[in-house]
Amino acid sequence: MFDGLLHEIEKAPIICVFRHLIPDADALGSQWGLVSWLKLTYPNKKVFAMGKHVGIKPEMFPNPDNVDDDTIRESLAIVLDTANAKRIDDQRYTLAKMIIQIDHHPLHETFGQKKYIYDHRAATCEIIAEFLEEIVVKPLPKKIAEFLYMGLLTDTLKFSTNNTSAHTLKIAAYLAQSDLNFSKLNEEMFSVSSKEYRFSNYLRTHASIEPCGMAYSFVTLEMMEEYGVSANDAKERITDFGGVRDFEAWALFIEHHENERRFYNGSLRSKKIAVNDIAQQYRGGGHRNAAAVKGCSKEEALEIIQKCCLRIKEAKHNDTV
Ligand SMILES: [Mn+2]
């Protein structure tokens, strides 16, 4: 499965580990899990965590490194959890001697000489842990296991997404051997601020719900200002629509502005219907049941809702015939 990966790692004196912009816990967990393991295992190599953007929970992960262009030129670049080249946090990955992609998103674009893409895995952390399990038979050092577990826990929404598999749990069990404190990790990853709590209440109260079972909300710049939440925090609240029996799909559109232009970036989620191909029509993409769109006008966002509704109706029709 990881043919040649260890070989490339072993021969590289410098390794730069990249991940996507606006990193979530899977991007950061896989990055810091791998970086920490590389540093520990190869004390003579120079290993760097790349990226400028801070994540949703910056207090949970160390700060990225400052790396000059010449160092990147001499390095092996490993890019984690990122399907499109434009989303790589720090575009200088192109300077590297060699680029390796490791990801669980469906293959979207090839930007590396080698790639390890396993889109049936629930998280990039699952793939990194799987790679380490092959090499390190005994339990991983606690900190490394924690980083990887955090990404596994959040990308699977506490092991509840439909890509959670027996393998995911096997990997979780492997990580758990490192004396993990599950309740503490859950608390750290999922508890929200009282501001977010109030904002969630607003979202739930004001969501639009189509008769087909499509729920959605628009969050304007003014609303985020009023509730004191950032666009990143607001986006995370898509999970507030999950767990409702009547909802087949749901969407959250967050307003952004660039120069004078105001537009929406949206997150789409569904129980059964595919939403990633719809997302692709609106400058986005992602997983079958969890995708994102970019730079949409309100009209486009409403079109997306209509397309999802149509698909829900078709699916219901097919179920009954
Ligand atoms: Mn991920």
Side-chain angles (χ1 to χ4, degrees):
M1 210 175 139
F2 297 103
D3 270 357
L5 180 55
L6 188 62
H7 177 71
E8 293 302 336
I9 287 173
E10 292 202 318
K11 71 177 195 199
I14 307 174
I15 302 174
C16 294
V17 181
F18 295 75
R19 39 76 186 160
H20 61 74
L21 293 165
I22 318 170
D24 54 12
D26 189 34
L28 289 166
S30 57
Q31 181 183 38
W32 283 104
L34 182 61
V35 164
S36 311
W37 181 78
L38 290 170
K39 282 185 175 174
L40 188 76
T41 315
Y42 306 101
N44 295 326
K45 288 187 196 298
K46 290 184 186 159
V47 181
F48 301 106
M50 306 296 290
K52 294 191 178 66
H53 277 234
V54 289
I56 312 288
K57 298 195 188 289
E59 67 282 3
M60 305 289 302
F61 299 94
N63 289 321
D65 299 302
N66 265 325
V67 185
D68 60 48
D69 295 4
D70 287 338
T71 307
I72 301 175
R73 267 188 205 102
E74 294 302 310
S75 76
L76 162 67
I78 300 181
V79 182
L80 302 172
D81 200 40
T82 315
N84 14 3
K86 267 203 220 133
R87 280 197 80 218
I88 301 172
D89 190 358
D90 203 331
Q91 288 291 312
R92 295 179 300 160
Y93 77 94
T94 52
L95 301 175
K97 257 189 180 162
M98 184 182 189
I99 302 163
I100 293 180
Q101 298 172 241
I102 304 178
D103 195 9
H104 73 123
H105 294 91
L107 181 65
H108 180 78
E109 196 177 343
T110 297
F111 49 78
Q113 286 82 41
K114 278 200 173 161
K115 51 185 190 287
Y116 302 89
I117 309 289
Y118 303 108
D119 60 9
H120 53 297
R121 294 296 185 236
T124 301
C125 282
E126 182 176 345
I127 300 172
I128 296 298
E130 189 173 2
F131 170 61
L132 297 184
E133 191 190 21
E134 276 185 15
I135 309 164
V136 190
V137 184
K138 49 182 204 259
L140 289 167
K142 183 169 177 167
K143 197 70 215 162
I144 296 175
E146 273 181 356
F147 284 139
L148 295 171
Y149 188 81
M150 286 193 267
L152 200 57
L153 189 67
T154 50
D155 254 29
T156 60
L157 300 175
K158 308 181 195 178
F159 305 107
S160 68
T161 55
N162 58 11
N163 57 7
T164 304
S165 64
H167 182 271
T168 313
L169 297 179
K170 209 182 111 228
I171 289 296
Y174 167 62
L175 297 174
Q177 292 170 37
S178 307
D179 192 28
L180 298 187
N181 183 336
F182 298 125
S183 61
K184 179 176 144 266
L185 289 168
N186 263 286
E187 165 81 27
E188 282 173 348
M189 299 319 290
F190 292 103
S191 57
V192 296
S193 66
S194 54
K195 272 185 204 164
E196 288 171 275
Y197 169 79
R198 279 194 292 273
F199 178 69
S200 283
N201 289 346
Y202 178 89
L203 278 186
R204 286 179 172 224
T205 315
H206 293 85
S208 307
I209 302 165
E210 296 288 326
C212 66
M214 172 84 205
Y216 61 95
S217 259
F218 286 90
V219 178
T220 60
L221 294 169
E222 290 76 16
M223 215 187 275
M224 287 185 273
E225 168 97 52
E226 187 186 330
Y227 282 84
V229 295
S230 67
N232 268 341
D233 290 338
K235 177 176 166 241
E236 290 295 298
R237 304 313 330 145
I238 181 75
T239 51
D240 290 345
F241 297 98
V244 181
R245 201 164 287 146
D246 310 338
F247 294 174
E248 291 299 327
W250 48 101
L252 184 59
F253 295 95
I254 311 287
E255 194 174 32
H256 290 256
H257 66 116
E258 236 169 61
N259 307 323
E260 291 296 280
R261 200 171 93 86
R262 292 171 71 137
F263 57 87
Y264 289 95
N265 289 348
S267 305
L268 306 177
R269 300 287 183 275
S270 68
K271 282 183 188 151
K272 293 195 198 106
I273 61 158
V275 290
N276 54 348
D277 59 327
I278 296 176
Q280 275 165 15
Q281 300 165 24
Y282 298 87
R283 299 161 294 278
H287 306 280
R288 180 185 158 86
N289 304 104
V293 293
K294 283 199 170 27
C296 295
S297 62
K298 184 135 189 185
E299 291 67 38
E300 283 180 312
L302 293 168
E303 262 171 48
I304 294 168
I305 305 292
Q306 286 321 311
K307 286 184 183 174
C308 291
C309 280
L310 193 64
R311 201 162 275 183
I312 294 168
K313 285 177 199 152
E314 279 166 9
K316 282 185 180 160
H317 177 76
N318 291 340
D319 274 353
T320 50
V321 289

